[in-house]
Amino acid sequence: MFLFYVPSKQRTYLHTGDFRYTPSMLTHPSILTNYISDNSASKKLPRIHSIFLDTTYCSSQYDFPNQVDVIHGALEVTRDYLIKDPTILVVCGMYSIGKERFTLGLASELNLKVWLPNNQNRLIKLAAQGGCSVCKELLQYVVDSSHKAQLHVLPMQQLNVAGLVQYQKKLGNRLPIDPFHNSPTFPKLRSILGWRPTGWSHRQSNNAQSSIRPPPNGIVLEQKKGDIHIYGKFSDGYMFRTRSHFVFF
């Protein structure tokens, strides 16, 4: 977020950028409280006059579930897959930085070791050094080799069937045959459960009359091919209801 004060107009403007609202933003010790409280005038700090929002999904029809509920839903889905196949590889998509809380939720609750690509590893370490508590906690689960981890982080653009098929082959992580299940006569490639934790995973139905609201827990199976399953998680970073609360506070 950026606060701008324009002396010629004696006004303060807030540019939010792409943000996730939490109530703590509007309570002490957040710096924003200095610009929204009734005492701001006595402190010679002009109240915020205008807010420039990132308008992605800024409509009441995009009232996605909150983050806690969505992570809980993802945990339940992942736990079911792990019960059926304890060797399954869990893959989470991530931007250069972002989605750490989702990844941490899976790792901490399911006790999964995490492998990060070099770029994300470097940025998360920098964020942790800068005081990000989520990144600090996530690093406790990070290991230095992909072969030691059951949860891998990959760039978001790689979270599709074609990308994960290539990653599956690249791992070359073949498993022994399970004698208690029907198996081919040769070892199989490791099954993959993929997560695309992003609102961009939403695709509007071709049926103009259908609702675009996601399932109650914000989870949807987007793609499936063989032993690769990719789920989408609707991000609450763009919740219309919470942003409305932020604006009208």
Side-chain angles (χ1 to χ4, degrees), residues 57-95:
Y57 298 132
C58 196
S59 170
S60 59
Q61 61 186 335
Y62 297 112
D63 197 13
F64 298 156
N66 65 60
Q67 188 180 62
V68 173
D69 291 342
V70 172
I71 292 178
H72 177 74
L75 280 169
E76 293 304 309
V77 171
T78 304
R79 184 178 286 111
D80 288 344
Y81 274 85
L82 287 169
I83 290 173
K84 295 176 183 177
D85 180 3
T87 65
I88 195 169
L89 178 66
V90 182
V91 178
C92 289
M94 187 181 287
Y95 301 114

Side-chain angles (χ1 to χ4, degrees), residues 23-147:
S24 61
M25 290 180 176
L26 301 178
T27 57
H28 184 77
S30 170
I31 191 174
L32 291 180
T33 59
N34 295 325
Y35 296 88
I36 61 176
S37 68
D38 293 333
N39 296 326
S40 60
S42 63
K43 298 177 183 178
K44 297 182 180 180
L45 296 174
R47 288 177 61 92
I48 293 173
H49 179 272
S50 301
I51 299 176
F52 294 88
L53 287 169
D54 178 285
T55 55
T56 308
Y57 298 132
C58 196
S59 170
S60 59
Q61 61 186 335
Y62 297 112
D63 197 13
F64 298 156
N66 65 60
Q67 188 180 62
V68 173
D69 291 342
V70 172
I71 292 178
H72 177 74
L75 280 169
E76 293 304 309
V77 171
T78 304
R79 184 178 286 111
D80 288 344
Y81 274 85
L82 287 169
I83 290 173
K84 295 176 183 177
D85 180 3
T87 65
I88 195 169
L89 178 66
V90 182
V91 178
C92 289
M94 187 181 287
Y95 301 114
S96 295
I97 195 165
K99 312 308 177 185
E100 295 83 12
R101 195 180 299 275
F102 179 81
T103 304
L104 174 61
L106 295 183
S108 60
E109 291 296 326
L110 301 174
N111 194 29
L112 301 176
K113 297 299 182 183
V114 178
W115 176 79
L116 297 170
N118 290 335
N119 187 47
Q120 281 81 0
N121 197 333
R122 178 179 61 84
L123 292 174
I124 288 175
K125 284 181 178 178
L126 287 173
Q129 292 170 7
C132 175
S133 59
V134 173
C135 292
K136 287 181 180 179
E137 190 173 352
L138 177 58
L139 287 175
Q140 296 177 15
Y141 295 89
V142 173
V143 292
D144 58 3
S145 170
S146 61
H147 297 291

